[in-house]
Amino acid sequence: MTATEIDSPPAGTASAPALRLEDVRVELSGSSGRVQILRGVSFEVPRGQIVALAGESGSGKSTAMLAAVRLLPWGAGVSGTIECQGEDVRALSSRQLRQFRARTARVIFQDPWSSLHPMRSVGSQLVESARSADGSLSKAAARELAVETLRRVGIPDPKARMDVYPHQISGGQLQRVMIAMALVARPAVLLCDEPTTALDVTTQAQILDLLRDLNRSEGITVLIATHDLDVIAGIADRLVVMYAGRVVEDGPAQQVLAAPKHLYTWSLLQAAPAHQHESRLRPIEGRPPRSDENLPGCAFAPRCPGARDECTGELPGLELVAVGHRSACLPVQQQKEAQQ
Amino acid sequence: MILQTENLEQSFPVSGGRRVQVLNGVSISVNAGETLGVVGESGSGKTTLGRAVMRLSEPTGGRVFFEGRDVTHANSAHLRRILRRRAAMVFQNPSTSLNPFLKLVDALTEPLAVHRIGSRSERRQQAYDMLERVGLDRAQAERYPQELSGGQRQRVGVARALMLNPALVVADEPTASLDVSVQAQVVNLFQDLQRDLGLAYLFISHDLALVSHLSHRIAVMYLGRVVEIGPAAEVFDRPKHPYTVVLSSMRRPAGEQLTPGGDPPSLLSPPTGCAFHPRCPIARPVCSTTAPELTALAETKGHEVACHFPGDLELSGGLETAVAPPPPIPLEAVR
């Protein structure tokens, strides 16, 4: 990062953000030709913060996360800037990339059952993970680190747990093991793709508590992709809302939830039964655009309760509408201008 | 009363000649036009309950009554005449529960054909009417399931369940595979159909907020037993069983949530006494030795709790803080 950067980082963190995406576009080959999955995504994950990347299925949240560690399928067309811990992720050689994924940015997937090797003990997978990040680690030291990390993520009797196989422990424990596997590498950034969706409600809360605890005590930067705004409401510092391959709103989590500045975020919050005392829910009519549909204006306009004529014609950019709070909603931007 | 179970038990064989007891004496009832919501985590037995009352499995103990008749061990011909005509099921994943090789019209007329109702053209007409009823266009009748979006597919799943004009619909996590914005559409459809057709629902879900939204009564299940049952508002807003209190607290800000320690117990080695005691914040010695019976509470009619110390664990604040109000619309012109 150079001194020419315009947006100065918030006070206290004198360094560049842990992760920065700028105008990232991703194209994948589908049955109907090339489809745009990401249509110019820009957001930042400040160091030491928890950022939630929220959106419905097809919004591109997982793609954005996978693009950040170059885990997209073969043949994906990527453009734009992706920087993680000051490194240009798109320019890494395959050798550097392996180091980057082992040490700097670790990914935790939705389904712990399919993320672990079913035929190898939990311990041996932890040891492998630790040694891949730090080649100078002896087997014994790696084992010690693994036991310590299992204890850190709240696994009871960690020594004995080293020898069990993934099928012998519950989903919640398994997700803790996944987090431990990431932690043994002492990564700077933890990328979690729907880390609690496959888990029960009470277990979900335990895992989120653990992530917050790790963030607070060890300063690990966390990015969580989620479809459920309410689940991450309690733990995220910032919220990035995506719709149809673009960021539509980005701001401090509590502020976005209490006073959303995009009609999509607002509609989504309205639709959740947790926020509805009335006898009927307020759904968002229609459905999100397909990835092969190209709308000239705001992608949400056809379903939007506040859409105006100009919304369908012109694509709104992400603009500041409040302190640290950006929105890509044209009527909201116009309202803000009128107030000034 | 449409549906009633008495001490329903269901066990399945597992390796080593053992059996796993999934339902352990479940007694519930569903009245005409009523929604009974069943809430529980994985392994609680909620799905098994739905399948057992639909007689997709044969109960190993207890009784199931449907419209007053005992169907616990009814044979298939008998079942077809009573239960299968008058009760239907909506499954979790419409992408796998609809036959990908059947056009919608054929998927919808199939139940009528099985039960030899109407002529071919009458059946088709009914299918068209039902599509419109669930908010789809009749022109879509000639389409295949994969041509529809997830929300539209689940509408078809609902339409198919309704073709025989049932008295009871068992819905097992019908919106779990849908996005929040589309989930609300399907939930509203369920409510509209109940109002118009007088349907009774057994609505199974892990989502307490959703269940409390559309249920008249709620049964909370834990490890094969009903631990709390009662009017929806009571169970949701003034829960008396510590497990329900814990579930209910999940809607609150992170700092106010009661996160239980430990994991959900395994059905293969259930805890002694009350199944929740290893995770319960207020467990006392008696809880680990004696399983509490489901007992009616004196203060509210129809509210039953299986706990030695009902109401000892409470959420502070109560009703008002329970549901976070939706935020204001960001636009003044629309407000």
Side-chain angles (χ1 to χ4, degrees), chain B residues 3-303:
Chain B
L3 175 75
Q4 191 180 9
T5 69
E6 274 178 19
N7 285 318
L8 193 63
E9 289 183 17
Q10 181 78 63
S11 65
F12 297 105
V14 288
S15 62
R18 291 185 300 167
R19 293 186 78 82
V20 54
Q21 189 81 28
V22 183
L23 294 181
N24 213 333
V26 173
S27 302
I28 54 153
S29 63
V30 185
N31 294 314
E34 180 190 55
T35 303
L36 176 69
V38 178
V39 192
E41 296 182 277
S42 49
S44 65
K46 58 188 193 300
T47 294
T48 305
L49 174 65
R51 295 180 64 88
V53 302
M54 285 300 289
R55 277 299 317 280
L56 298 177
S57 65
E58 188 162 344
T60 45
R63 305 227 152 271
V64 181
F65 297 94
F66 182 74
E67 296 193 313
R69 278 178 284 200
D70 187 342
V71 294
T72 322
H73 302 288
N75 63 27
S76 58
H78 193 196
L79 272 182
R80 198 174 303 144
R81 268 203 315 281
I82 45 179
L83 189 64
R84 300 270 182 267
R85 276 212 56 168
R86 302 278 297 151
M89 196 149 182
V90 177
F91 296 93
Q92 172 169 355
N93 192 338
S95 312
T96 51
S97 58
L98 290 172
N99 185 337
F101 299 108
L102 284 188
K103 287 178 185 169
L104 300 191
V105 63
D106 295 326
L108 291 179
T109 52
E110 194 180 33
L112 298 172
V114 166
H115 289 277
R116 300 198 185 85
I117 295 169
S119 68
R120 201 177 129 77
S121 62
E122 282 166 356
R123 286 178 210 151
R124 290 184 78 88
Q125 188 54 47
Q126 277 193 47
Y128 296 145
D129 292 347
M130 189 54 76
L131 278 178
E132 281 174 6
R133 161 118 246 164
V134 299
L136 293 173
D137 193 52
R138 61 182 289 167
Q140 289 175 312
E142 300 300 321
R143 293 184 165 213
Y144 290 92
Q146 62 269 32
E147 297 176 57
L148 306 179
S149 70
Q152 289 174 325
R153 260 179 244 166
Q154 194 56 298
R155 286 173 191 268
V156 176
V158 174
R160 191 165 194 268
L162 296 182
M163 285 308 287
L164 289 168
N165 195 17
L168 172 73
V169 172
V170 175
D172 188 0
E173 300 263 16
T175 63
S177 62
L178 305 175
D179 277 320
V180 179
S181 70
V182 180
Q183 167 182 303
Q185 296 173 3
V186 175
V187 168
N188 283 346
L189 174 66
F190 267 97
Q191 288 189 306
D192 292 345
L193 291 169
Q194 180 168 58
R195 190 194 55 221
D196 298 347
L197 306 173
L199 297 168
Y201 292 136
L202 185 67
F203 195 95
I204 300 165
S205 174
H206 68 283
D207 186 341
L208 187 60
L210 174 64
V211 162
S212 71
H213 177 78
L214 51 67
S215 302
H216 301 99
R217 290 188 303 131
I218 297 177
V220 181
M221 290 189 70
Y222 194 77
L223 209 70
R225 286 197 169 90
V226 172
V227 296
E228 180 159 7
I229 185 167
E234 284 294 314
V235 173
F236 194 50
D237 294 326
R238 281 176 288 279
K240 292 289 188 267
H241 194 286
Y243 177 62
T244 321
V245 174
V246 162
L247 279 186
S248 199
S249 79
M250 292 302 155
R251 300 167 294 125
R252 294 175 166 239
E256 294 177 34
Q257 289 179 356
L258 293 166
T259 314
D263 286 336
S266 158
L267 284 162
L268 286 168
S269 52
T272 57
C274 170
F276 188 57
H277 89 264
R279 309 174 72 197
C280 180
I282 59 163
R284 294 179 218 180
V286 62
C287 302
S288 61
T289 54
T290 319
E293 295 286 319
L294 203 56
T295 315
L297 290 173
E299 54 264 43
T300 337
K301 196 167 159 280
H303 194 168

Side-chain angles (χ1 to χ4, degrees), chain A:
Chain A
M1 199 72 38
T2 58
T4 54
E5 198 189 15
I6 303 158
D7 299 323
S8 61
T13 58
S15 49
L19 178 68
R20 187 170 75 94
L21 271 68
E22 199 173 306
D23 198 27
V24 173
R25 292 165 192 273
V26 171
E27 252 187 18
L28 290 175
S29 300
S31 52
S32 49
R34 300 291 275 180
V35 287
Q36 285 231 340
I37 308 292
L38 297 187
R39 299 159 181 261
V41 168
S42 307
F43 67 91
E44 287 184 359
V45 181
R47 278 191 196 193
Q49 291 206 358
I50 300 183
V51 174
L53 194 56
E56 298 182 275
S57 45
S59 62
K61 58 186 187 302
S62 297
T63 307
M65 183 167 277
L66 296 178
V69 281
R70 279 178 52 189
L71 277 174
L72 292 174
W74 190 251
V78 183
S79 69
T81 310
I82 304 170
E83 276 180 359
C84 187
Q85 295 290 110
E87 288 186 90
D88 180 356
V89 176
R90 292 191 55 215
L92 296 177
S93 69
S94 61
R95 189 196 160 94
Q96 290 169 322
L97 184 62
R98 198 156 56 233
Q99 283 293 320
F100 167 75
R101 287 184 193 146
R103 272 188 208 159
T104 314
R106 299 290 299 228
V107 189
I108 291 165
F109 294 99
Q110 172 172 356
D111 179 359
W113 291 273
S114 55
S115 308
L116 285 164
H117 196 300
M119 310 283 279
R120 290 182 50 200
S121 71
V122 161
S124 76
Q125 299 188 52
L126 282 162
V127 167
E128 183 191 2
S129 174
R131 296 187 79 199
S132 72
D134 183 357
S136 66
L137 216 55
S138 74
K139 252 192 181 150
R143 209 177 154 77
E144 206 169 300
L145 174 64
V147 172
E148 200 37 57
T149 313
L150 280 183
R151 181 172 295 126
R152 178 73 194 85
V153 299
I155 302 263
D157 196 6
K159 246 196 183 109
R161 285 297 182 180
M162 290 287 282
D163 299 322
V164 303
Y165 289 85
H167 73 268
Q168 293 172 299
I169 49 182
S170 70
Q173 299 265 341
L174 221 47
Q175 198 59 297
R176 286 176 193 269
V177 170
M178 288 305 300
I179 294 173
M181 272 187 71
L183 289 182
V184 288
R186 308 198 180 287
V189 186
L190 215 50
L191 304 170
C192 313
D193 189 9
E194 303 256 7
T196 63
T197 307
L199 306 176
D200 280 323
V201 193
T202 51
T203 325
Q204 216 170 51
Q206 292 174 352
I207 296 294
L208 292 172
D209 278 355
L210 172 63
L211 287 175
R212 182 175 47 179
D213 181 32
L214 291 170
N215 165 262
R216 299 287 186 264
S217 63
E218 282 158 48
I220 297 180
T221 307
V222 183
L223 179 65
I224 304 178
T226 180
H227 70 281
D228 190 338
L229 286 171
D230 283 309
V231 163
I232 42 77
I235 80 159
D237 298 306
R238 292 187 69 81
L239 201 54
V240 177
V241 184
M242 291 188 65
Y243 186 78
R246 288 195 185 93
V247 174
V248 295
E249 182 165 8
D250 173 5
Q254 293 310 322
Q255 200 174 314
V256 173
L257 291 170
K261 296 285 184 201
H262 195 288
L263 279 156
Y264 170 63
T265 318
W266 177 79
S267 307
L268 201 57
L269 289 166
Q270 289 277 309
H275 296 286
Q276 223 32 274
H277 252 322
E278 297 165 27
S279 64
R280 282 180 72 78
L281 296 179
R282 297 191 199 158
I284 306 178
E285 295 305 333
R287 53 164 185 77
R290 290 190 309 273
S291 48
D292 56 356
E293 276 175 287
N294 282 309
L295 300 170
C298 169
F300 186 60
R303 309 172 72 189
C304 182
R308 301 173 187 171
D309 290 343
E310 58 265 37
C311 290
T312 52
E314 140 186 25
L315 182 66
L318 209 50
E319 285 178 21
L320 268 182
V321 290
V323 180
H325 195 158
R326 297 183 302 161
S327 162
C329 181
L330 208 55
V332 169
Q333 293 170 358
Q334 287 170 346
Q335 178 174 286
K336 169 139 193 298
E337 275 163 31
Q339 282 164 356
Q340 279 170 347

